[in-house]
Amino acid sequence: MSEPSRSTEPSEPSDSSDPSGPAEPPDRPGAHPVLDPTLYGARVLLRPVTAADIPELAEIRRTPEVYRRWRGGPDLAAAIAEDFAEPDSHSLAIVRHGAVVGAIQWSEETEPEYRHASIDIYLDPALHGRGLGADAVRTLARHLVGALGHHRLVIDPAADNAAAIRCYAKVGFRPVGVMRRYERGADGSWHDGLLMDLLAEELTGSG
C-alpha cells in the first residue's frame, strides 16, 4: 500500500516551451545508479536528494498549500530527513534551472504477483501552473516503466485535490476508485483519497 499522495500541482498549462537547463547533481553516498539515477525531463531534472537540499525543501513544505497536504510537525527538516532515510522509499529532488523546487519519491511492491510502483510529489506553490509537476511525474514514470520494468504505477491524491487529479490524468493516470476515510487530516477528521493507476502502455508523451 502506498502512502497518500498529497501533491498540490495544478493541471498542465498550454505553453510547453520552457525546458530546464542541464545541471550536474551532487553525489549522494549509497545512491544506486539504476534505482537512484539522474533523470532529465522536458522542464525539470530529477536527481537524488542530498542533505544539502533539506533546508530548501523544508521552506517548500512550510508553505500553506504544501503543509496542508504533507504536514510534518514543528521540525520539518527532521521530518524530511526521516522520510529520506526510509530504506524502501527513493527520493529525488526536482530541479529547475539549478534550484531545488520540490521532491518526488517512489516505492515498490516487490512480491512478483503484485509488483507495481507508487509515486508521491510536492512542488513549490510559486511554480504551480507551469506543468513542472506533470513533467516530473512523467519523467519518473518513464524510468519506472522503461528501466525498472514496472507494468503498473499508482498514485493516490486526496479526493478533493482536483488540481493534482487533473495533473496526473495528463500523464495517463486513470481513476480507479474512492478510498473512503483514507487519511486523517490536521483537524482530526478522516478524508477520502482517490486511487489512480497507470498501465505502461497508457503513459503519455509531453504536452
Side-chain angles (χ1 to χ4, degrees), residues 12-20 42-43 96-97 130-132 206-207:
E12 283 197 83
S14 57
D15 181 10
S16 61
S17 58
D18 197 5
S20 174
R43 306 178 188 185
R96 169 75 169 169
H97 296 318
R130 304 185 187 186
L132 304 186
S206 61

Side-chain angles (χ1 to χ4, degrees), residues 61-109:
R61 288 276 295 270
R62 287 189 187 97
T63 60
E65 297 92 332
V66 178
Y67 190 84
R68 176 191 171 198
R69 303 290 183 184
W70 283 75
R71 300 189 296 278
D75 190 344
L76 284 174
I80 292 168
E82 183 177 349
D83 287 346
F84 294 159
E86 291 183 2
D88 296 328
S89 180
H90 304 267
S91 299
L92 300 170
I94 304 172
V95 179
R96 169 75 169 169
H97 296 318
V100 173
V101 298
I104 190 167
Q105 60 193 45
W106 66 275
S107 60
E108 62 182 338
E109 171 58 65

Side-chain angles (χ1 to χ4, degrees), residues 113-190:
E113 292 84 357
Y114 303 99
R115 187 172 185 266
H116 69 277
S118 60
I119 297 175
D120 210 350
I121 181 174
Y122 60 88
L123 186 72
D124 185 347
L127 298 175
H128 286 182
R130 304 185 187 186
L132 304 186
D135 187 47
V137 171
R138 182 181 292 112
T139 300
L140 178 56
R142 284 175 175 160
H143 174 71
L144 295 174
V145 169
L148 300 185
H150 282 286
H151 77 288
R152 178 175 177 264
L153 310 178
V154 300
I155 199 163
D156 49 8
D160 65 352
N161 195 344
I165 293 167
R166 289 193 301 269
C167 171
Y168 303 151
K170 292 280 188 179
V171 179
F173 283 89
R174 301 182 182 184
V176 175
V178 173
M179 299 177 289
R180 297 182 298 168
R181 299 181 184 176
Y182 178 58
E183 181 182 19
R184 192 189 296 273
D187 60 359
S189 63
W190 290 96

